[in-house]
Amino acid sequence: MATQAEKASSASAAIDFDKNGGVVAAIAVDHLSHRVLTVAYMNREAFDETIATGRACYFSRSRNRLWRKGEESGNFQVVREIRIDCDADALVVAVEQLGDGAACHMGYESCFFRKLDAGAWKIVEQRKVDPAKYGPGYGHQPKKSAG
């Protein structure tokens, strides 16, 4: 019987990590509602860890290191299903969002909490949690034009 490491290695071999410089897009969706929670990236190591632990692990391009979702906030994601696209260079990761229920580092359920309305980005959701709860170094600063 194959070990978890062997299963992860076999599964990751089917993914084209080379096409985009060693990473693939990983679209995290709520496993029940199918709502898009966030778009992140995985390298082979992050994918293999995700398979081994059952928790979402991504690769932070800005920090150039693994990003274990929830490592600072406790808002981790239990993986329920992973799908690969036809070109083998993108993943949909169906997750159960735990902790405060905020997938977004700005405290919202989804990173997609703004909607274009009459040419301006408007916040259309309530925050689940104030991210200041997690300390001053949590997350990253939004761009000034982000609303």
Side-chain angles (χ1 to χ4, degrees):
M1 182 166 258
T3 66
Q4 277 298 92
E6 291 168 333
K7 288 177 187 176
S9 178
S10 174
S12 64
I15 302 170
D16 189 351
F17 289 103
D18 296 329
K19 190 180 287 181
N20 292 309
V23 297
V24 295
I27 299 98
V29 300
D30 181 274
H31 76 112
L32 294 176
S33 70
H34 305 289
R35 180 170 189 218
V36 176
L37 299 175
T38 193
V39 176
Y41 295 86
M42 286 186 177
N43 63 5
R44 186 179 306 274
E45 185 180 3
F47 177 82
D48 289 348
E49 182 171 316
T50 296
I51 299 302
T53 65
R55 286 190 177 188
C57 177
Y58 302 108
F59 180 77
S60 171
R61 295 172 305 155
S62 61
R63 295 178 182 156
N64 197 33
R65 68 170 179 84
L66 291 183
W67 162 38
R68 293 165 181 91
K69 182 72 175 128
E71 65 190 343
E72 295 175 57
S73 66
N75 295 319
F76 62 93
Q77 297 172 336
V78 175
V79 176
R80 300 296 181 203
E81 179 180 86
I82 301 176
R83 292 183 181 231
I84 190 170
D85 78 325
C86 58
D87 293 325
D89 63 357
L91 303 171
V92 173
V93 184
V95 300
E96 180 180 355
Q97 181 67 51
L98 297 174
D100 291 321
C104 176
H105 76 280
M106 294 178 73
Y108 294 89
E109 176 184 14
S110 168
C111 292
F112 299 93
F113 58 88
R114 293 175 292 227
K115 176 173 96 171
L116 190 60
D117 182 6
W121 293 107
K122 307 280 185 184
I123 295 174
V124 294
E125 295 182 14
Q126 294 291 321
R127 251 191 186 142
K128 292 252 182 201
V129 63
D130 181 349
K133 167 184 177 179
Y134 310 124
Y138 177 73
H140 57 272
Q141 297 302 313
K143 294 180 177 155
K144 291 186 187 210
S145 63

